[in-house]
Amino acid sequence: LFVMQGVAPPGTKFVEILYDVEDAENDKLTIRVEISSDGGERYNVPARTFQGAVGANVDPGKDKKIT
């Protein structure tokens, strides 16, 4: 479990998420994005379109990016 906060630059609807991820066996990972509007009580904000190091079969490593 990894929790982070992101903010969209003014005038845009895009958020850039940068992260590092490790796995002891160097297995491919599944990365998903969940969005909360109430500080983490519920994750019910629709998260629809992402590009980058997200979804199934993401290699562990540094400087991963999701937009």
Side-chain angles (χ1 to χ4, degrees):
L1 174 65
F2 180 76
V3 177
M4 74 179 331
Q5 295 178 346
V7 176
T12 73
K13 293 183 179 183
F14 297 99
V15 174
E16 185 173 85
I17 301 168
L18 304 173
Y19 68 96
D20 299 337
V21 63
E22 298 177 0
D23 181 77
E25 289 82 33
N26 209 35
D27 295 328
K28 292 189 180 282
L29 304 168
T30 297
I31 305 297
R32 70 178 186 211
V33 176
E34 295 181 340
I35 303 171
S36 173
S37 64
D38 61 8
E41 292 293 319
R42 292 173 286 146
Y43 290 85
N44 58 353
V45 176
R48 298 178 196 268
T49 305
F50 296 101
Q51 294 180 329
V54 63
N57 298 313
V58 175
D59 289 318
K62 294 186 180 280
D63 302 321
K64 300 291 182 177
K65 181 167 112 176
I66 303 170
T67 52

